[in-house]
């Protein structure tokens, strides 16, 4: 599965590298430095600081907090769990579109309605979570599978739980979560093509002629 989810693994590697840089520069303990590195701030659109819409997705640890490791670890684990599966089922291009599209929308919502610096990939992760629900539900290939009902139930459960936590914990930017969730739901309705299976699992039908001139069917599969 990991070989078929290159975008997810690349994102996790970049997030981990940025996290290490934050540790070495003590950015986790300096909200001003976090802002200089690219955190979301109110009024960023009016000032034309559009680059923050991207950089904020790779930064972690709420400014002036000591929960950096938890913030990074939970987002990375959620991205790994949801991202690898979504990318395998629906393709790398679609995953990248949903991840960055919902992440940017989450950042815009945070800058418009938030009250301070904000960082993290959770808005994009919420977008993947929401798009997963829509994409599986509307997919003719997956929606009738025996595992679909259980998966959708788990996704809905964790969506509600995380939104509830966001409303009860003061420093969590639930505006970004809701922005990512709504944009992910919309992006999940975009028509998509399910990627074909890898060559190792493909079967090719050939019809050679026998000596009498009639067709014979033979099936050849590629080795794993």
């Amino acid at each position: 599965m990991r070989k078929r989810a290159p975008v997810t693994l690349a994102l996790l590697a970049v997030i981990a590298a940025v996290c290490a840089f934050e540790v070495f520069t003590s950015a986790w303990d300096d909200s001003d430095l976090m802002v200089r590195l690219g955190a979301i701030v109110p009024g960023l659109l009016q000032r034309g600081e559009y680059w923050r819409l991207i950089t904020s997705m790779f930064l972690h640890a709420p400014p002036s907090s000591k929960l950096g490791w938890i913030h990074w670890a939970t987002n990375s684990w959620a991205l790994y769990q949801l991202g690898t599966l979504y990318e395998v089922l629906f393709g790398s291009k679609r995953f990248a579109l949903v991840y960055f599209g919902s992440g940017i929308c989450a950042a815009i919502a945070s800058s418009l309605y938030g009250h301070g610096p904000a960082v993290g990939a959770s808005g994009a992760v919420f977008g993947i979570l929401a798009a997963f629900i829509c994409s599986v539900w509307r997919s003719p290939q997956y929606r009738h599978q025996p595992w679909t009902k259980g998966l959708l139930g788990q996704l809905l459960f964790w969506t509600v739980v995380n939104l509830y936590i966001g409303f009860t914990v003061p420093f969590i930017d639930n505006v970004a979560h809701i922005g990512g969730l709504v944009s992910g739901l919309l992006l999940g309705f975009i028509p998509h093509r399910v990627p074909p299976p890898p060559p190792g699992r493909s079967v090719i039908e050939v019809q050679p002629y026998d000596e009498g001139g009639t067709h014979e069917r033979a099936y050849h599969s590629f080795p794993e």
Side-chain angles (χ1 to χ4, degrees), residues 90 133-150 152:
F90 298 103
I133 295 172
C134 288
S135 297
V136 170
W137 176 74
R138 66 183 298 276
S139 170
Q141 180 172 350
Y142 297 133
R143 64 186 174 192
H144 299 301
Q145 295 294 324
W147 48 263
T148 300
K149 185 176 180 180
L152 292 178

Side-chain angles (χ1 to χ4, degrees), residues 105-163:
C105 290
I108 291 174
S110 179
S111 69
L112 293 176
Y113 300 103
H115 303 288
V119 294
S122 54
V125 171
F126 264 87
I128 294 296
L129 185 65
F132 218 141
I133 295 172
C134 288
S135 297
V136 170
W137 176 74
R138 66 183 298 276
S139 170
Q141 180 172 350
Y142 297 133
R143 64 186 174 192
H144 299 301
Q145 295 294 324
W147 48 263
T148 300
K149 185 176 180 180
L151 176 62
L152 292 178
Q154 291 184 47
L155 293 174
L156 288 170
F157 171 78
W158 286 112
T159 300
V160 173
V161 168
N162 282 280
L163 286 175

Side-chain angles (χ1 to χ4, degrees), residues 164-173:
Y164 174 78
I165 294 173
F167 282 117
T168 56
V169 179
F171 59 79
I172 292 181
D173 187 3

